[in-house]
């Protein structure tokens, strides 16, 4: 159940199950006991199966099964509860603490809410009946609020104490991140503050740990932390990573990081624990060696790289034949200008190139270095890595010439890109599974997934649809479950409003968007304008330049589709291969959701059939008694119960056959249902025996309805084809007060009145009246109504 899952997540997040005994909680229960003047006051936490007493006054702390705890009622109902006499309560009257031992009678409990979830109960108990005033619950709820704050504060303090124990003055720093999107640190970290040269250790939390990570290493660290979001199959989930930290004084600190994720019982990540080892001295030495080797390699390997030389004053750029080959151009067609190089760089990378170039010219970096995409002559993009350094300066000491080299690193970048995207896809598949499992609404689950799918595919907008059927023609339709909000005019806003209300359906699939449904295959259109099924777009809608349709299937059954549009680059094979697991996973989840829906509908129908008499459609005996007794057990208002038996029904079966007898029963059931109307609860409780509970009607009103029904049956035979079957009945009526006597006593009294009516000659109604002297409800007198 989602409610239990969210409760367990809150318990795990605050580690409340493992909370040790605390003086603050002990003082609070002692105050509660004295405030309410009761025998026992407790504070407890509950998970799915167990109640944990965290503080108690008047009772020993320990654990018990949740089903054996009175406080379970507060957790289940999520509301405060006051019981004046447990011995009279149907659920708790047989509990051990009520029957034996303390013999508690009064109970009051209020839910403890942490982050909106009911995680525990504050309660008071006493051996006296009615030991608490009616307004005690409001005071108890105030204590529950105090308990919630104490629990959170206690756990926060314990966590901080554990972190402090691991802190030291050496090169190793203990780290602890909460498993949240921004990866916040868990508490202050004195060792980390010393490593960063911070005077105030709270600065690591105030500014966020990631703000101290070198910008070039930040994405890599986030990727490592994100990899802990799902537990590995072997349960280990350990990671290593090297990166730089930037101290406020400008110094770089190299650290080698070891991390491991820790998870709750539901597999959700709670925290990531890690160790940072300071490796600054070793790294600086290694960096010096690499820089020297890099400079040497620029000279030694110039013939294998694409070299270039730029005169800064004029922007003149000369590139080698090898450089021209990298981008598929002939040497003669290369323009000798820095501007032509910049114009060939991908728009998303151009600003980074400019920034790195400017940083080197202005002396902030010793070597110019940049990786960016460059347009190849045949139209695709390659990843180019370029290095360079200033070799000459003018009379004013300003750089005048840069010499460098470039190489194609597309394979490496594509491998990194694919790895990164696969990580995003894995996260998305996990998110889709969680969305479909936790959300009962398919549309809401699709809304959660559409944005990440668009981002993963680098598209501008898209939609997720499920296959439906036209109610008249039976033709396939596309029911839009989620769609990008592109409300460009009144008509498009109206259509998006239909989606918001769950009514946006594409019935005409004779177009590019519907081709995925009609063909049941992948549709790729990288030039929408020239596609034969392109029908244009509504006025004001962004122009469709590229379109990708992915069918969602389970086996050979088409369940829906994902539509994506306007990627900056073409929808090509590598992306399609990357995305392939997504529609397959959604197909499995949609199929599972459909099976679950069908199962729920089948269970509902079975439940309905189990409560009805199969012949007449009225309630059966068991359902009638359950409905009559269960919902009225505390009702002190009188009700009236009638038992009706058709006279000489065996003779009808013997004379006309059981088929006619069944039709007579059905006809009588219809008359009974119509005759008592909404005032009565009707049932067939035996062969030709029926029962009616008049709830809210007086005795005279109940008798009037029964008498009208008796006269109608006596005067109007049942017409069964060519046969008219006369029908009469005898009935017994009795008064019943649910709060004072069980329903079986009322049945016995009405039954006795029924047989008295039969003995008196049938076709009669008799009323059972209790013996007022003994108050037992046993029939003492019969009053005949005819």
């Amino acid at each position: 159940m989602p409610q239990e899952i969210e409760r367990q997540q809150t318990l795990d997040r605050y580690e409340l199950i493992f909370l040790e005994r605390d003086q603050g909680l002990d003082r609070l229960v002692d105050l509660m006991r004295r405030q309410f003047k009761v025998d026992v006051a407790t504070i407890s936490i509950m998970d799915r199966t167990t109640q944990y007493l965290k503080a108690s006054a008047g009772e020993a702390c320990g654990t018990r099964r949740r089903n054996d705890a009175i406080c379970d009622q507060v957790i289940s109902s999520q509301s405060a509860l006051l019981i004046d006499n447990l011995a009279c309560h149907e659920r708790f009257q047989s509990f051990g603490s009520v029957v034996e031992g303390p013999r508690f009678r009064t109970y009051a409990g209020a839910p403890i809410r942490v982050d909106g979830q009911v995680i525990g109960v504050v309660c008071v108990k006493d051996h006296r009946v009615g030991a608490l005033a009616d307004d005690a619950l409001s005071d108890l709820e105030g204590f529950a609020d105090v308990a919630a704050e104490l629990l959170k504060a206690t756990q926060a303090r314990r966590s901080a104490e554990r972190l402090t124990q691991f802190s030291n003055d050496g090169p190793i720093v203990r780290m602890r991140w909460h498993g949240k999107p921004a990866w916040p640190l868990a508490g202050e970290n004195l060792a980390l503050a010393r490593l960063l040269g911070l005077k105030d250790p709270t600065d690591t939390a105030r500014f966020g740990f990631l703000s101290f990570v070198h910008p070039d290493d930040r994405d890599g660290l986030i990727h490592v932390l994100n990899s802990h979001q799902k537990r590995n199959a072997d349960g280990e989930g350990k990671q290593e990573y090297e990166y730089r930290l930037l101290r406020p004084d400008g110094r770089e600190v190299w650290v080698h990081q070891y991390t491991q994720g820790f998870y709750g019982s539901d597999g959700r990540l709670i925290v990531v624990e890690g160790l940072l080892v300071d490796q600054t001295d070793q790294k600086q030495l290694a960096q010096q060696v690499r820089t020297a080797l890099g400079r040497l390699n620029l000279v030694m390997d110039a013939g294998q790289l694409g070299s270039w030389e730029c005169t800064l004053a004029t922007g003149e750029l000369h590139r080698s034949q090898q450089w021209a080959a990298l981008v598929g151009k002939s040497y003669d067609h290369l323009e000798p200008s820095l501007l032509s190089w910049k114009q060939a760089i991908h728009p998303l990378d151009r600003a980074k190139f400019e920034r790195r170039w400017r940083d080197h010219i202005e002396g902030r970096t010793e070597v110019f270095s940049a990786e960016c995409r460059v347009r190849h002559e045949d139209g695709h993009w390659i990843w180019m890595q370029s290095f360079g350094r200033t070799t000459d300066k003018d009379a004013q000491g300003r750089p005048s010439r840069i010499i460098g080299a470039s190489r194609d690193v597309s394979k490496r970048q594509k491998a990194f890109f694919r790895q990164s995207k696969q990580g995003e896809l894995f996260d998305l598949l996990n998110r889709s599974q969680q969305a479909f499992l936790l959300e009962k609404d398919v549309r809401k689950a699709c809304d959660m997934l559409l944005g990440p799918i668009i981002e993963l595919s680098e598209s501008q907008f898209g939609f997720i649809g499920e296959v439906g059927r036209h109610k008249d023609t039976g033709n396939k339709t596309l029911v839009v479950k989620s769609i990008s909000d592109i409300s460009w005019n009144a008509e498009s806003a109206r259509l998006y409003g239909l989606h918001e209300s769950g009514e946006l359906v594409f019935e005409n699939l004779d177009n590019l968007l519907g081709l995925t449904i009609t063909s049941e295959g992948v549709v790729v259109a990288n030039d929408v304008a020239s596609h034969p099924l392109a029908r244009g777009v509504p006025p004001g809608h962004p122009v469709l330049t590229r379109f990708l349709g992915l069918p969602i299937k389970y086996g050979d059954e088409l369940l829906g589709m994902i539509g994506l549009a306007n990627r900056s680059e073409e929808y090509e094979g590598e992306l399609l291969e990357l995305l392939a697991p997504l529609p397959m996973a959604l197909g499995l989840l949609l199929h599972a959701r459909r099976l679950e829906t069908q199962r729920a509908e089948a269970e509902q129908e079975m439940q309905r059939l189990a409560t009805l008499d199969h012949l007449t459609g009225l309630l059966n005996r068991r359902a009638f008694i359950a409905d009559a007794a269960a919902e009225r057990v505390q009702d002190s208002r009188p009700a009236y119960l009638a038992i009706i038996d058709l006279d000489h029904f065996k003779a009808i079966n013997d004379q006309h056959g059981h088929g006619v007898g069944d039709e007579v029963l059905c006809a009588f059931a219809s008359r009974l249902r119509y005759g008592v109307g909404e005032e009565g609860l009707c049932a067939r409780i035996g062969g030709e025996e029926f029962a009616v509970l008049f709830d809210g009607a007086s005795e005279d009103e109940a008798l009037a309805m029964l008498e009208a029904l008796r006269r109608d049956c006596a005067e109007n035979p049942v017409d069964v084809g060519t046969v008219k079957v006369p029908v009469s009945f005898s009935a017994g009526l009795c008064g019943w007060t649910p709060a004072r006597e069980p329903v079986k006593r009322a049945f016995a009294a009405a039954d006795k009145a029924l047989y008295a009516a039969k003995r008196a000659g049938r076709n009669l109604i008799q009323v059972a009246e209790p013996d007022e002297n003994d108050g037992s409800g046993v029939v003492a007198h019969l009053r005949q109504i005819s």
Side-chain angles (χ1 to χ4, degrees):
M1 298 171 57
Q3 175 184 322
E4 276 299 308
I5 293 173
E6 293 170 359
R7 277 189 357 92
Q8 189 63 45
Q9 290 174 346
T10 303
L11 290 171
D12 290 342
R13 182 163 59 252
Y14 287 96
E15 303 176 320
L16 295 175
I17 295 299
F18 309 105
L19 184 68
E20 299 172 356
R21 190 159 185 173
D22 180 80
Q23 292 182 354
L25 295 176
D26 287 340
R27 288 196 294 270
L28 184 62
V29 294
D30 185 65
L31 177 62
M32 289 165 53
R33 187 183 184 189
R34 288 186 281 109
Q35 170 77 17
F36 295 105
K37 296 180 176 61
V38 293
D39 297 331
V40 174
T42 68
I43 296 174
S44 62
I45 302 298
M46 282 195 187
D47 63 12
R48 293 185 179 90
T49 61
T50 308
Q51 180 187 36
Y52 305 84
L53 288 181
K54 295 302 180 181
S56 175
E59 186 177 86
C61 288
T63 63
R64 63 168 60 93
R65 288 196 321 149
R66 176 173 167 176
N67 290 341
D68 296 335
I70 302 174
C71 292
D72 177 46
Q73 181 73 19
V74 177
I75 295 290
S76 301
S77 65
Q78 299 192 24
S79 59
L81 175 67
L82 173 61
I83 302 175
D84 289 325
N85 191 349
L86 292 167
C88 295
H89 196 283
E90 182 180 21
R91 178 179 177 185
F92 304 121
Q93 60 186 0
S94 61
F95 273 34
S97 62
V98 178
V99 178
E100 304 170 354
R103 295 180 181 272
F104 291 125
R105 291 298 179 266
T106 298
Y107 170 89
I112 301 173
R113 301 179 187 274
V114 173
D115 292 351
Q117 297 299 318
V118 177
I119 52 87
V121 178
V122 295
C123 85
V124 293
K125 297 178 283 190
D126 198 273
H127 71 279
R128 297 168 295 164
V129 174
L132 295 174
D134 291 339
D135 60 354
L137 278 186
S138 61
D139 294 339
L140 196 60
E141 288 174 336
F143 279 103
D145 293 339
V146 175
E149 295 302 320
L150 274 176
L151 285 169
K152 291 195 292 186
T154 300
Q155 188 54 37
R157 186 177 69 252
R158 295 288 168 84
S159 297
E161 291 171 356
R162 290 200 300 269
L163 286 172
T164 301
Q165 293 173 1
F166 290 111
S167 298
N168 55 70
D169 296 325
I172 299 177
V173 177
R174 179 86 175 190
M175 299 291 291
R176 183 181 175 90
W177 292 273
H178 286 301
K180 297 180 181 179
W183 294 108
L185 292 179
E188 298 179 7
N189 193 320
L190 295 175
L192 178 62
R194 285 192 291 270
L195 181 66
L196 292 171
L198 298 174
K199 296 181 180 179
D200 186 354
T202 63
D203 284 349
T204 57
R206 185 156 57 96
F207 296 107
F209 173 71
L210 293 178
S211 67
F212 294 93
V213 178
H214 194 287
D216 291 346
D217 301 335
R218 194 172 297 152
D219 289 344
L221 175 60
I222 292 174
H223 178 72
V224 169
L225 293 175
N226 286 341
S227 69
H228 290 291
Q229 287 290 354
K230 184 158 182 73
R231 191 201 309 258
N232 291 350
D234 58 6
E236 291 294 329
K238 297 179 180 177
Q239 296 285 353
E240 293 184 38
Y241 185 60
E242 287 186 352
Y243 58 97
R244 290 162 290 178
L245 296 173
L246 291 177
R247 294 166 51 116
D249 59 12
R251 289 179 55 199
E252 290 184 355
V253 177
W254 274 98
V255 293
H256 192 99
Q257 173 181 289
Y258 303 84
T259 54
Q260 182 173 5
F262 293 89
Y263 306 84
S265 59
D266 58 354
R268 185 184 59 82
L269 178 67
I270 300 175
V271 295
V272 173
E273 296 272 5
L275 292 175
L276 301 186
V277 181
D278 186 354
Q279 293 190 326
T280 305
D281 293 339
Q282 299 93 314
K283 276 293 181 181
Q284 287 178 345
L285 178 60
Q287 184 64 37
Q288 291 171 4
V289 173
R290 282 197 299 269
T291 300
L293 290 175
R295 293 172 183 170
L296 178 60
N297 288 336
L298 283 175
V299 177
M300 298 292 293
D301 299 333
Q304 301 175 16
L305 300 174
S307 60
W308 49 269
E309 178 181 344
C310 181
T311 302
L312 297 176
T314 62
E316 185 178 358
L317 178 70
H318 295 285
R319 290 168 280 186
S320 67
Q321 291 184 351
Q322 289 86 353
W323 203 102
L326 292 177
V327 295
K329 289 181 176 289
S330 68
Y331 179 73
D332 295 336
H333 290 162
L334 281 178
E335 294 185 26
S337 70
L338 178 61
L339 179 61
S340 66
W341 184 6
K342 292 180 178 179
Q343 288 177 340
I345 295 174
H346 194 288
L348 296 180
D349 299 335
R350 200 170 294 160
K352 178 176 66 175
F353 181 91
E354 293 274 13
R355 184 173 62 255
R356 299 286 179 84
W357 186 269
R358 185 170 57 253
D359 286 346
H360 179 62
I361 292 174
E362 295 175 0
R364 288 187 288 273
T365 59
E366 185 178 353
V367 176
F368 163 73
S369 174
E371 288 188 11
C372 55
R373 286 162 287 185
V374 177
R375 173 76 72 178
H376 194 274
E377 182 68 12
D378 64 10
H380 72 276
W381 299 93
I382 67 166
W383 278 94
M384 180 179 287
Q385 183 182 43
S386 299
F387 300 92
R389 63 166 296 173
T390 301
T391 59
D392 296 304
K393 296 184 178 182
D394 60 18
Q396 288 76 32
R398 295 174 301 189
S400 61
R401 185 170 62 163
I402 297 178
I403 296 177
S406 303
R407 61 176 178 172
D408 187 344
V409 292
S410 298
K411 290 183 179 180
R412 184 180 58 121
Q413 279 290 344
K414 285 184 177 180
F416 177 78
F417 172 81
R418 184 173 183 82
Q419 182 181 8
S420 174
K421 289 297 183 182
Q422 284 175 336
E424 293 180 34
L425 178 64
F426 181 79
D427 177 66
L428 184 55
L429 291 175
N430 181 53
R431 196 179 311 179
S432 67
Q433 182 181 16
Q434 293 297 321
F436 276 81
L437 289 177
L438 298 179
E439 298 293 343
K440 299 300 183 182
D441 187 349
V442 174
R443 178 179 172 275
K444 188 173 180 181
C446 290
D447 280 341
M448 293 173 61
L449 297 175
L450 181 60
I453 291 174
I454 291 173
E455 183 177 350
L456 177 65
S457 64
E458 299 179 334
S459 301
Q460 287 187 3
F461 40 83
F463 66 88
I464 302 175
E466 188 174 11
V467 171
R469 292 286 178 180
H470 194 283
K471 63 180 181 180
D472 297 326
T473 65
N475 294 333
K476 287 182 180 178
T477 61
L478 184 62
V479 182
V480 176
K481 296 299 183 180
S482 183
I483 190 170
S484 301
D485 184 2
I486 307 177
S487 301
W488 58 91
N489 57 18
E491 176 60 18
S492 61
R494 185 189 69 81
L495 290 176
Y496 188 76
L498 291 177
H499 159 65
E500 291 279 274
S501 62
E503 299 176 356
L504 182 55
V505 179
F506 295 157
E507 296 180 355
N508 179 17
L509 302 179
D510 184 22
N511 49 51
L512 179 59
L513 299 184
L515 183 58
T516 304
I517 301 299
T518 56
S519 69
E520 300 192 6
V522 175
V523 174
V524 179
N526 284 314
D527 185 6
V528 171
S530 63
H531 196 282
L533 288 180
R535 301 284 190 265
V537 295
H541 188 285
V543 175
L544 287 181
T545 57
R546 296 185 175 92
F547 175 76
L548 172 63
L550 299 173
I552 299 175
K553 290 184 175 182
Y554 178 77
D556 293 331
E557 182 185 7
L558 180 68
L559 301 179
M561 69 170 289
I562 302 170
L564 301 167
N566 287 22
R567 188 174 188 246
S568 59
E569 300 180 30
E570 291 187 346
Y571 293 107
E572 34 73 34
E574 188 171 352
L575 178 65
L576 297 183
E577 184 180 349
L578 174 70
L579 294 177
L582 181 58
M584 292 173 59
L586 290 181
L588 178 62
L589 293 172
L590 279 177
H591 176 72
R593 176 61 69 196
R594 287 188 176 186
L595 289 180
E596 183 178 345
T597 301
Q598 292 170 1
R599 179 187 59 78
E601 292 174 350
E603 288 181 355
Q604 186 177 5
E605 179 63 14
M606 290 174 63
Q607 179 67 23
R608 187 187 70 83
L609 293 175
T611 63
L612 298 181
D613 173 56
H614 71 281
L615 179 63
T616 63
L618 299 179
L619 292 177
N620 58 29
R621 182 185 185 90
R622 183 176 59 182
F624 178 80
I625 292 176
D627 198 337
E631 296 185 6
R632 298 169 174 82
V633 68
Q634 300 291 343
D635 203 338
S636 60
R637 298 173 303 165
Y640 291 89
L641 175 70
I643 298 180
I644 301 170
D645 188 86
L646 299 187
D647 297 330
H648 306 296
F649 184 74
K650 183 177 182 300
I652 295 176
N653 278 336
D654 292 343
Q655 181 178 354
H656 301 288
H658 288 279
V660 171
D662 287 347
E663 292 199 40
V664 169
L665 290 173
C666 291
F668 179 76
S670 297
R671 292 184 183 184
L672 177 62
R673 190 185 294 109
Y674 177 78
V676 301
E678 297 181 356
E679 299 296 328
L681 182 69
C682 305
R684 181 188 177 202
I685 60 173
E688 65 270 21
E689 198 169 45
F690 297 82
V692 182
L693 178 66
F694 296 95
D695 192 6
S698 66
E699 179 181 302
D700 290 341
E701 290 170 334
L703 283 172
M705 284 185 276
L706 284 175
E707 180 59 21
L709 178 64
R710 188 193 66 80
R711 287 198 303 271
D712 178 55
C713 291
E715 296 170 3
N716 299 292
V718 176
D719 191 351
V720 183
T722 58
V723 179
K724 291 190 176 182
V725 183
V727 177
S728 67
F729 68 82
S730 303
L733 179 71
C734 77
W736 172 46
T737 304
R740 295 206 302 265
E741 60 179 326
V743 68
K744 64 181 181 180
R745 185 70 61 85
F747 260 86
D751 202 49
K752 189 169 185 179
L754 166 65
Y755 282 98
K758 286 183 173 291
R759 288 193 300 271
R762 292 185 172 83
N763 196 18
L764 295 172
I765 302 170
Q766 294 229 357
V767 181
E769 297 180 343
D771 188 340
E772 296 179 355
N773 294 324
D774 69 5
S776 65
V778 177
V779 176
H781 305 287
L782 296 171
R783 179 155 50 92
Q784 178 175 312
I785 307 297
S786 60

